[in-house]
Amino acid sequence: MLPFARYEIEGESMIPTYQPGDRVLVFRWGTVKPGDTVIFCKNGLTMVKRAAKKEGDRWIMKGDYWNRSSDSEDFGSVADSEIIGKVIAAY
């Protein structure tokens, strides 16, 4: 597996940080910290959110700013194993 992957932002949950259509570079190796933006797969969907808080081996995820309605309260916490990687750049 390569250490980097590219994804395109599809939803609005990370506005204003990322807009639909933005492309991001994701680093698959390394440690996620609170505040990092991550790509993860949950219930068959690939999503981008901000890692807010870790509880055991699970993360509470949040959308940015006014988009808090799309977060872990809606889809549950995210296991470490569901995280694909950390967003390191947008282009």
Side-chain angles (χ1 to χ4, degrees), residues 1-70:
M1 175 185 343
L2 295 174
F4 297 99
R6 295 178 294 174
Y7 288 87
E8 184 173 332
I9 304 299
E10 293 182 10
E12 298 180 346
S13 72
M14 293 300 289
I15 291 174
T17 307
Y18 301 106
Q19 304 288 325
D22 285 354
R23 294 186 174 146
V24 294
L25 183 63
V26 175
F27 185 60
R28 296 185 201 208
W29 301 344
T31 304
V32 173
K33 299 180 303 269
D36 287 343
T37 302
V38 297
I39 300 282
F40 61 93
C41 188
K42 179 80 175 177
N43 302 324
L45 297 172
T46 301
M47 295 185 251
V48 59
K49 302 285 181 207
R50 192 163 306 280
K53 178 174 140 182
K54 190 166 185 180
E55 297 176 344
D57 71 338
R58 304 194 69 82
W59 284 91
I60 304 299
M61 300 291 182
K62 299 280 186 186
D64 271 359
Y65 305 106
W66 64 81
N67 298 299
R68 296 288 185 184
S69 62
S70 177

Side-chain angles (χ1 to χ4, degrees), residues 78-90:
V78 176
D80 286 332
S81 62
E82 295 173 307
I83 295 175
I84 296 168
K86 179 169 50 173
V87 175
I88 59 170

